[in-house]
Amino acid sequence: MKNIMADYVKLPELEEYKEWFKDHFDLYREDGILQVTMKTKDHQMCWSGSSHRAMSQLSRVISMDRKNEILIWTHYGDNWMMDKDPNGWSTYAEERFEHQYIDDYNLIKNMIFDIDIPTIGAVPGPGFHWDSALLCDITLASEDATFDDDHLFFGLIPGDGMFMLMQHFMGTKRANYYAYTCRQWTAQQALEWGWVNELCPKGKVVERAWEIARIIKSLPLETRTIYSHLCKRPLEKLLVEDLKIHTLSEQYSTMYRIAQKDYGKAQTDEKDMSMIHHYRYATDEHKYLQDPIKTWDEIREDAVVWGEKTGFKAPDEVFGDGNGEK
C-alpha cells in the first residue's frame, strides 16, 4: 500500500487456528460458512477445564477472521456432550477464579459480543451444557433431544449463564421450577416454549443448519451482518444486566463448599458424573417428578445400579487417560 506508515496487523488464518484448537473442535469452512464441531480428540466432548476455556478462546479468534461470515455451532456424534473428563477439573479448586470468574463470563459474553455474524446452533441429541447452542441467533434440535440444568443436583448454584438463559427463554417461574427439581424437558416442549426454532429428524440437524445458513448467505453481507446484531440485542442487554451476578453466585457457592471442606463430598466426584448424565438421559423418569420424590442421593444410587447393569464405563476407561493408555 503506497505511502502507508504502518500496515494492517496480520491475524491467523483458519488453517493456523484450526491446528491450535484441534483437540477440542473440528473447524470446517465452505463459502464463508464456518462449522464448529465440539469434541475431545477423536470422540465426543469430555467436559473439562481445558475445553471450557477453549470455547471462549475460539469464539474470540473466530470473530477476528472476517472470512467467517456465518457460524454453525454443533457437537460431534449423535448427542450433545454427556461425558466429563475424570481428571479434567483436577485443578478446579485452585483455579476457580480463572474458571468461574473469567472463563464462565467470557464463554457466554464472547458468543454475543464478539461474534457479530449470523449464528446457528445445531443440537444433534440430548446432553448438558447447551448454552453455546442457545446463544446462537437460531437453534435447531434433534427430535430426541432433552435438556436440563443439573447444577443444584451436584451442589452448585447454576450461575454460569445456563439458568439465566432458562429464565430468559422459558420464563421465570418455569425456569425456577425446572432448575430446583433438576427435571428435564423434551424437544417438543423446547419447541413449544420457544427454546428452539425447529425439530429435525435424528441425524439431520447439521444438514438442516447448512440449508438455513445458505439461505442467510444469499442476503447481502452488510444486511445479514447488521441484522445479526439486532438478533443478539436482547441477549446483549440481558448479559450486561445479569451475567456477572450469575457467575459470581456460582463462584461463591464453590468457594463456600471448599471453605466447608466438603468439596467433593457434598458434590459428586467428576469420575461419577458421566455415568449419572448418561443414566439421566437414557431413562425417562427425570422428565417427571417421582412419586414419592427421590432425593439426589437416591438418584445417584439409582445411577450406580444402572451403570452396573449396563456395564457403563467412564470416558478414561473407553478412550484412555489422555496419554494413550486405558
Side-chain angles (χ1 to χ4, degrees):
M1 200 174 283
K2 223 172 181 181
N3 300 325
I4 190 169
M5 294 181 67
D7 206 347
Y8 290 96
V9 174
K10 186 181 183 303
L11 294 173
E13 297 284 345
L14 175 61
E15 291 307 313
E16 185 176 357
Y17 61 82
K18 183 178 179 178
E19 183 68 16
W20 297 353
F21 292 98
K22 66 181 181 181
D23 287 345
H24 298 290
F25 308 96
D26 279 333
L27 305 180
Y28 170 76
R29 186 170 65 202
E30 179 184 316
D31 192 28
I33 302 169
L34 177 69
Q35 178 178 316
V36 172
T37 305
M38 299 189 296
K39 63 170 191 170
T40 296
K41 297 290 183 69
D42 296 322
H43 46 79
Q44 69 250 26
M45 178 176 275
C46 297
W47 193 229
S48 67
S50 58
S51 59
H52 187 243
R53 183 163 298 168
M55 291 177 73
S56 63
Q57 292 169 327
L58 177 63
S59 56
R60 185 156 289 167
V61 172
I62 287 172
S63 72
M64 294 189 295
D65 186 349
R66 301 315 305 171
K67 293 178 183 175
N68 297 323
E69 299 181 43
I70 298 172
L71 173 67
I72 296 172
W73 193 286
T74 189
H75 190 279
Y76 178 90
D78 293 332
N79 298 309
W80 201 252
M81 68 178 82
M82 284 196 184
D83 287 303
K84 296 197 175 186
D85 181 338
N87 303 303
W89 298 94
S90 57
T91 60
Y92 194 48
E94 294 81 10
E95 298 177 354
R96 63 187 177 275
F97 179 78
E98 288 83 357
H99 284 304
Q100 290 188 302
Y101 187 84
I102 298 174
D103 292 343
D104 272 354
Y105 184 74
N106 285 335
L107 189 156
I108 302 293
K109 174 184 71 68
N110 295 357
M111 289 287 293
I112 298 300
F113 286 99
D114 283 16
I115 298 181
D116 55 359
I117 56 176
T119 53
I120 303 171
V123 182
F128 66 89
H129 252 304
W130 30 254
D131 37 356
S132 52
L134 267 292
L135 289 163
C136 292
D137 302 341
I138 294 171
T139 305
L140 314 177
S142 172
E143 292 170 337
D144 71 333
T146 49
F147 304 87
D148 64 11
D149 183 340
D150 57 5
H151 279 75
L152 292 171
F153 178 86
F154 294 119
L156 283 179
I157 291 173
D160 56 356
M162 292 175 64
F163 178 58
M164 180 186 66
L165 293 176
M166 288 172 64
Q167 288 186 315
H168 177 74
F169 288 115
M170 294 168 62
T172 302
K173 297 290 280 188
R174 181 180 286 138
N176 295 350
Y177 175 69
Y178 273 79
Y180 262 134
T181 61
C182 295
R183 283 182 59 192
Q184 298 173 345
W185 55 101
T186 66
Q188 186 59 41
Q189 288 172 314
L191 180 66
E192 292 168 0
W193 297 341
W195 183 257
V196 300
N197 301 102
E198 283 187 22
L199 300 185
C200 305
K202 189 68 175 177
K204 298 293 185 181
V205 181
V206 174
E207 180 181 324
R208 179 59 174 158
W210 275 90
E211 290 177 356
I212 294 175
R214 291 189 179 101
I215 293 171
I216 297 171
K217 183 67 166 53
S218 68
L219 295 167
L221 170 65
E222 299 80 8
T223 299
R224 55 181 142 89
T225 303
I226 295 171
Y227 178 64
S228 75
H229 175 257
L230 293 182
C231 292
K232 295 173 177 63
R233 181 167 168 75
L235 283 176
E236 287 179 346
K237 294 165 69 175
L238 174 67
L239 267 54
V240 168
E241 292 178 356
D242 286 349
L243 180 57
K244 188 57 73 178
I245 187 63
H246 277 253
T247 55
L248 284 171
S249 295
E250 181 165 330
Q251 185 183 15
Y252 175 80
S253 70
T254 307
M255 292 174 68
Y256 188 82
R257 295 268 62 81
I258 293 170
Q260 295 299 308
K261 302 186 186 303
D262 63 2
Y263 191 81
K265 295 179 182 177
Q267 292 176 264
T268 304
D269 189 274
E270 295 289 340
K271 291 180 181 294
D272 299 326
M273 283 187 178
S274 292
M275 177 177 63
I276 294 172
H277 284 302
H278 278 265
Y279 161 66
R280 282 169 59 81
Y281 295 122
T283 62
D284 286 335
E285 64 180 83
H286 304 286
K287 299 180 183 68
Y288 315 97
L289 278 183
Q290 301 90 351
D291 185 18
I293 296 173
K294 293 183 179 179
T295 66
W296 306 139
D297 285 339
E298 288 171 331
I299 292 175
R300 290 188 186 101
E301 291 169 3
D302 288 346
V304 171
V305 172
W306 173 87
E308 293 173 347
K309 182 178 178 181
T310 60
F312 177 81
K313 295 181 182 299
D316 57 336
E317 296 178 281
V318 178
F319 304 121
D321 61 2
N323 297 312
E325 297 181 5
K326 290 188 178 180

